[in-house]
Amino acid sequence: MTKLLQGITYAAFYLMSLLPYKALYALSDVFYAVVYRVARYRLKVVRRNLATSFPDKSPEELKSIERGFYRWLCDYFVETVKLMTVKRAELLRHVEFRGTEAIEDSFDRGQACAGILGHYGNWEMLSATGLAFTRHTEAVVGLIYHPLRSKIFDRLFIKLRQSMGGVCVPKQDILRYLVSFRKQGLMNIFGYIADQAPKYQNIHLWLPFMGHDTPVFTGAERLMRKMGNTVFYIDVERPSRGRYVYTFKPMTADPASLPEYEITRRFFAMLEQSIRRDPAIYLWSHDRWKRTREEFERDYEIDHGHVVRKHEDRER
């Protein structure tokens, strides 16, 4: 039964991906009506996140961002499906990569790179970054991902993400891959989406972000420091529907020289600037502020660098 469902799902996505962009965006408009107007997908979460992130905006302004978010979310879906069959030349009419010369300069020095980004714009299209390289066309463009619970969609999204030459690596295996590439002398840049909501046991740092006291992951920074990567912030702009500009902005070529957590602090400050510039294309449907410092300090403590429960019998 699983194989049958996988086959049906794959066939449906494949056929959809064959549609031209104009037809896909018309389909996205239909999805928008269903997802936003009918299903009201995670609408309470979206409204709460927007209201608390933009307390100075009027109800009309918040409503406009809300509608824009759902339109972009449906566009994100059809744009991602399109990756299954889109020709590289056609994709490059929709995406532009800026700052890749600095990445290749780092490769020239024998230094691998890391790109840090948020759930902002269509992050899936970054799998095509390698198409912009001119001197290091063999370099690996890596995508770190969290395996999905559904094996069907997990395999499907791996295929989508690797269709433009990217390499998908489960997050639990990333260090092994990075060490292997270093031993082989294979230049690479891996993208770290670093704005997820960590579990309480993984919280080592709280930062101000979009008006919230926000718990953040620091694992990406630890890996960058360990591997001595040149680090870039990946900024995203959407000048028009269906067109994205990805700019690789250098953060540091020597992460170990910076104070601990400085890369993480800079990243969230830069991400907030991007979001405030165009808030509709951020993933507002994710409940990233569901964990509070009050609950963390009540139930957890840090013991020799590890977060442990104060009372093991107390339920979260």
Side-chain angles (χ1 to χ4, degrees):
M1 179 62 72
T2 300
K3 289 186 177 181
L4 177 60
L5 286 174
Q6 183 177 339
I8 294 173
T9 303
Y10 179 85
F13 276 56
Y14 180 83
L15 291 173
M16 187 188 304
S17 74
L18 295 174
L19 294 172
Y21 275 101
K22 184 176 292 188
L24 283 172
Y25 286 124
L27 188 61
S28 175
D29 290 340
V30 176
F31 290 157
Y32 164 78
V34 174
V35 171
Y36 180 44
R37 303 295 185 185
V38 180
R40 299 169 68 85
Y41 171 71
R42 299 184 69 83
L43 186 55
K44 289 183 179 179
V45 173
V46 171
R47 287 180 172 170
R48 182 173 66 247
N49 283 342
L50 288 175
T52 54
S53 296
F54 301 103
D56 296 333
K57 290 191 179 296
S58 68
E60 292 76 17
E61 290 174 311
L62 292 175
K63 193 73 170 181
S64 177
I65 297 172
E66 176 185 301
R67 289 192 295 265
F69 161 71
Y70 279 100
R71 289 192 181 280
W72 163 77
L73 184 65
C74 294
D75 283 356
Y76 159 83
F77 172 71
V78 299
E79 289 164 352
T80 301
V81 170
K82 183 65 177 176
L83 291 175
M84 288 186 77
T85 58
V86 67
K87 301 298 183 183
R88 296 187 176 191
E90 183 180 12
L91 180 65
L92 289 175
R93 289 196 291 271
H94 292 265
V95 299
E96 179 183 353
F97 299 101
R98 298 176 181 173
T100 54
E101 303 87 353
I103 298 173
E104 294 199 88
D105 289 344
S106 181
F107 291 163
D108 288 341
R109 300 191 300 267
Q111 188 176 16
C113 300
I116 187 166
L117 65 149
H119 287 91
Y120 186 74
N122 192 326
W123 54 90
E124 306 291 357
M125 291 186 179
L126 281 164
S127 60
T129 300
L131 300 182
F133 294 158
T134 58
R135 306 192 306 275
H136 292 270
T137 55
E138 78 291 346
V140 174
V141 175
L143 313 166
I144 303 169
Y145 78 101
H146 182 75
L148 301 176
R149 292 181 180 179
S150 168
K151 291 184 178 180
I152 294 175
F153 282 98
D154 189 56
R155 291 170 183 167
L156 179 61
F157 269 82
I158 288 175
K159 185 173 182 64
L160 288 171
R161 290 164 176 164
Q162 295 188 155
S163 61
M164 288 294 119
V167 175
C168 284
V169 176
K171 65 176 185 178
Q172 66 270 18
D173 297 331
I174 181 58
L175 181 58
R176 178 167 59 86
Y177 273 78
L178 292 175
V179 171
S180 175
F181 290 146
R182 172 180 283 181
K183 289 180 178 178
Q184 297 175 61
L186 189 57
M187 290 296 99
N188 60 87
I189 177 167
F190 271 80
Y192 297 80
I193 297 182
D195 62 338
Q196 301 97 328
K199 294 180 180 179
Y200 279 118
Q201 294 90 336
N202 295 324
I203 297 174
H204 293 87
L205 180 66
W206 296 76
L207 293 176
F209 175 57
M210 298 304 301
H212 300 81
D213 193 16
T214 306
V216 299
F217 276 113
T218 56
E221 176 175 338
R222 288 196 297 272
L223 274 174
M224 294 169 192
R225 295 167 72 95
K226 186 180 186 70
M227 301 306 299
N229 295 140
T230 299
V231 183
F232 296 85
Y233 170 67
I234 306 176
D235 192 18
V236 187
E237 296 174 88
R238 189 178 65 157
S240 59
R241 190 181 197 184
R243 183 166 180 267
Y244 293 89
V245 177
Y246 301 91
T247 303
F248 291 82
K249 298 184 175 181
M251 295 178 70
T252 179
D254 186 10
S257 69
L258 297 177
E260 188 177 24
Y261 303 141
E262 180 63 20
I263 292 173
T264 303
R265 295 179 191 278
R266 291 184 187 181
F267 160 67
F268 276 96
M270 296 173 82
L271 178 60
E272 179 161 339
Q273 288 182 344
S274 298
I275 294 170
R276 293 192 181 280
R277 181 185 65 222
D278 186 0
I281 61 174
Y282 188 56
L283 192 62
W284 296 107
S285 54
H286 180 54
D287 194 5
R288 66 189 71 258
W289 291 293
K290 59 188 174 184
R291 310 193 201 285
T292 67
R293 189 193 287 259
E294 180 183 10
E295 292 177 340
F296 177 78
E297 292 180 346
R298 182 193 68 199
D299 293 346
Y300 293 86
E301 60 186 353
I302 298 178
D303 182 18
H304 296 92
H306 298 283
V307 179
V308 296
R309 292 184 68 91
K310 291 181 178 178
H311 306 288
E312 292 296 331
D313 58 343
R314 181 182 292 175
E315 293 184 3
R316 186 177 306 177

